Amino acid sequence: PAKRPSALLGQSAPDFVLPAITGLDRPGLARRDIVAGKAVVVNFWASWCLPCRAEAAELDILSQAGKLALMGIDYKDESENARAFLKRTGNPFQRIGADETGRTAIDWGVSGVPESFLIGPDGRILEHVEGPLSEETVRRWGAITR
């Protein structure tokens, strides 16, 4: 995992509207959902991504801390596979958008999954982590208060 310079750091999160994963009990995701006056983590993941499986425990810890809203974007995935993945690993996300075409990932500058973005209460991107979240990042982000 690494902090990779992103052209979006310090800028507003890109505009997007994504549908929910078909058959999942979580709503879809749009930019308006991550600009709600609180800090948010947006995590790009996929069921076919092995590092995403490794990251699942860290995302669960971050979710359990309850200090950040955790939103997911399922990248170029089949709904059935995404649902099975979340059933196996647990679902830490409050909302999940299905980025079936990968267009949203391109707009965010994502080069692979997993990738995570820490968004401030004002909707600006504060940090970008390429690869699975580390224990240190989860500890630091988990201490952030809304």
Side-chain angles (χ1 to χ4, degrees):
K3 282 187 198 175
R4 181 172 57 94
S6 170
L8 298 178
L9 286 178
Q11 295 184 31
S12 293
D15 193 28
F16 67 98
V17 176
L18 294 171
I21 294 171
T22 304
L24 191 66
D25 66 345
R26 294 288 197 282
L29 183 62
R31 184 180 187 283
R32 69 181 172 274
D33 301 315
I34 62 170
V35 183
K38 61 185 172 188
V40 174
V41 172
V42 175
N43 176 260
F44 284 80
W45 62 279
S47 66
W48 44 263
C49 164
L50 292 177
C52 295
R53 289 181 191 167
E55 181 183 58
E58 300 303 329
L59 290 171
D60 187 54
I61 291 166
L62 195 56
S63 175
Q64 294 299 321
K67 296 191 179 198
L68 296 167
L70 192 55
M71 309 293 182
I73 296 180
D74 184 29
Y75 175 73
K76 290 188 171 185
D77 214 346
E78 299 289 333
S79 293
E80 179 180 312
N81 295 339
R83 288 191 312 270
F85 176 86
L86 293 169
K87 186 174 183 178
R88 270 193 319 274
T89 63
N91 186 348
F93 304 111
Q94 293 173 1
R95 302 179 79 98
I96 303 175
D99 187 11
E100 295 171 353
T101 65
R103 181 71 222 175
T104 299
I106 290 169
D107 291 346
W108 283 68
V110 170
S111 61
V113 287
E115 289 194 30
S116 298
F117 295 83
L118 176 64
I119 313 295
D122 63 354
R124 295 189 186 280
I125 297 173
L126 303 176
E127 282 189 54
H128 172 214
V129 176
E130 186 177 51
L133 291 173
S134 67
E135 287 182 35
E136 186 273 327
T137 299
V138 168
R139 242 188 326 275
R140 189 168 36 82
W141 287 5
I144 294 172
T145 58
R146 298 176 190 202

